[in-house]
Amino acid sequence: DDTYRNKVLSAMEVIKVAEKFDKVPEISDSLVSYIGSLYKSYGYTFFKSIGFDRLSLNTDYSYFNDKGFLDKLNNLSTQYSIPKNFLALEITEGDMYNTYDEFLRITQKVVSCNTVLVCDQYTGELLTPAQIKELGFTEVKIARSVIKDVAEDEQKLSRVVQLYEACHKAGLKVTLVGVETKEQVDLLSAEISEMYIQGNFFYPPLDEENLLEELRKANYYEDRILND
């Protein structure tokens, strides 16, 4: 969805400006406060009851470079008793590559926050699965650009399978991003047995209000089916 992608790009531009003027801590404060407000409003029981057991946030290295960010996450986890691995932080392969040495120095502190670290927009062109593991990341999201056209291009399909197998062998959980059609799902599932996918095949991106409404509806119909 272009509208969603444009919003993400705009947010990244804001972060770049904030970093230039040493304002990233204010953004990270807002982010942590937002997570807290979601948890205060809904709580883990609500999320779990409607099938939502992960809150994943797009970040970049500037957040981790804010010395107070991880402390704020730890405090948040303690305050709301947030379960281990409920919160995930996604960082792109490019950002990880550009700050590799810096990440190596803070890996243990990041992992101690009981937060899942996800390598986003992964193409395999900059980092190997072993390097991703070394940084304390446990999951990868294979990039939309890699998934695109797998239904029309056998070489692309083969590339996706190779990337998946390399990551899986390294012990990383793999998600395929940008799956839009049933044809893509059928082709990929024929090659990959344990497959997690993200894309418009399920839903276009939804804002908070519409997401929660869709989840409520899904839970309602599931209850009706089980109880009828």
Side-chain angles (χ1 to χ4, degrees):
D1 185 286
D2 288 335
T3 302
Y4 171 76
R5 282 195 283 271
N6 288 339
K7 285 181 180 178
V8 172
L9 289 172
S10 297
M12 298 310 291
E13 289 301 317
V14 169
I15 291 171
K16 287 179 183 177
V17 173
E19 190 173 13
K20 182 178 179 180
F21 293 98
D22 197 27
K23 295 294 183 181
V24 170
E26 295 180 18
I27 294 179
S28 63
D29 280 346
S30 298
L31 178 63
V32 172
S33 295
Y34 177 66
I35 298 168
S37 70
L38 283 177
Y39 225 80
K40 186 176 181 180
S41 298
Y42 304 112
Y44 183 67
T45 302
F46 171 79
F47 284 117
K48 188 70 174 175
S49 70
I50 55 180
F52 188 169
D53 56 11
R54 166 72 64 80
L55 178 62
S56 189
L57 304 167
N58 293 103
T59 59
D60 69 7
Y61 179 72
S62 61
Y63 284 95
F64 299 96
N65 200 35
D66 168 18
K67 295 177 181 176
F69 179 59
L70 297 178
D71 292 333
K72 295 167 197 168
L73 282 181
N74 268 325
N75 292 337
L76 181 78
S77 179
T78 302
Q79 181 180 355
Y80 292 101
S81 300
I82 295 177
K84 183 177 181 179
N85 298 338
F86 174 76
L87 183 63
L89 301 176
E90 300 182 10
I91 304 97
T92 67
E93 179 187 21
D95 197 26
M96 291 168 62
Y97 175 79
N98 291 331
T99 56
Y100 193 85
D101 291 337
E102 292 89 337
F103 256 118
L104 277 176
R105 287 194 288 270
I106 63 170
T107 291
Q108 291 305 315
K109 189 172 182 181
V110 176
V111 173
S112 70
C113 289
N114 292 330
T115 300
V116 178
L117 292 177
V118 184
C119 173
D120 193 20
Q121 299 179 31
Y122 184 60
T123 65
E125 295 174 2
L126 299 175
L127 296 173
T128 66
Q131 288 174 312
I132 292 172
K133 286 277 287 186
E134 186 179 25
L135 292 179
F137 285 65
T138 57
E139 300 185 16
V140 298
K141 287 189 169 185
I142 295 180
R144 181 184 302 271
S145 60
V146 179
I147 302 297
K148 186 180 178 182
D149 300 327
V150 292
E152 295 78 29
D153 189 333
E154 287 188 15
Q155 288 187 333
K156 279 220 166 186
L157 177 60
S158 177
R159 174 61 177 154
V160 171
V161 173
Q162 288 172 0
L163 269 181
Y164 171 85
E165 289 178 346
C167 292
H168 187 69
K169 186 176 180 180
L172 296 164
K173 178 181 174 181
V174 185
T175 300
L176 310 179
V177 177
V179 178
E180 314 289 351
T181 68
K182 185 177 185 302
E183 185 179 9
Q184 289 176 325
V185 172
D186 290 342
L187 280 169
L188 291 165
S189 60
E191 300 288 339
I192 300 171
S193 57
E194 187 179 330
M195 187 173 71
Y196 297 90
I197 63 175
Q198 173 183 324
N200 287 354
F201 177 72
F202 294 116
Y203 280 103
L206 300 171
D207 59 24
E208 179 188 342
E209 181 179 351
N210 288 324
L211 171 63
L212 293 172
E213 180 57 30
E214 290 297 324
L215 289 170
R216 285 191 188 96
K217 280 195 253 179
N219 190 54
Y220 170 77
Y221 288 121
E222 182 180 2
D223 286 345
R224 288 288 299 274
I225 291 169
L226 291 174
N227 293 325
D228 284 351

